[in-house]
Amino acid sequence: MAVTLTPAAADRVRSYLAETPGGIGLRFGVRKSGCTGFAYVVDIAKAEGPDDSVFETDGVAVRVDAASLPQVDGTEIDFVSQGLNQQFVFRNPRVSAECGCGESFATS
């Protein structure tokens, strides 16, 4: 499988990369958090990690560390604008439960 970006997400990441000297792609992963287990971590990657898996969509690299990959493999990252709100949305087929506040998730 892979981690993919929609065209809207790829465009948004490209704009962030243009503003970030030394940016080489998007770093996507998880950290332990909340009542359910994991929270997404998204940042601009400035260096290659020794255990990164790299997935490319429309020329934009998404880097995922080995510890995060089992929880995010298969995720589609979108960028959605609704009224004045803009945010990344994660469509992760591995999610089996989410907390009520949307802070964290569990995978099966």
Side-chain angles (χ1 to χ4, degrees):
M1 293 189 102
V3 174
T4 59
L5 300 169
T6 64
D11 287 345
R12 186 58 157 191
V13 172
R14 264 193 224 87
S15 71
Y16 286 140
L17 288 170
E19 299 169 1
T20 307
I24 61 171
L26 185 72
R27 174 143 323 268
F28 179 57
V30 296
R31 63 175 166 77
K32 294 229 180 238
S33 178
C35 55
T36 311
F38 297 101
Y40 294 111
V41 177
V42 181
D43 201 357
I44 295 298
K46 293 187 178 180
E48 296 179 22
D51 61 352
D52 282 352
S53 292
V54 181
F55 306 100
E56 193 166 315
T57 303
D58 294 332
V60 178
V62 179
R63 299 181 166 280
V64 181
D65 64 89
S68 296
L69 189 57
Q71 284 76 42
V72 300
D73 195 18
T75 299
E76 177 187 64
I77 302 172
D78 195 4
F79 187 76
V80 178
S81 297
Q82 295 175 337
L84 297 176
N85 297 320
Q86 298 179 329
Q87 65 182 358
F88 284 104
V89 174
F90 309 103
R91 296 185 187 102
N92 185 343
R94 298 188 182 280
V95 170
S96 59
E98 295 179 296
C99 71
C101 66
E103 167 84 18
S104 61
F105 65 94
T107 57
S108 53

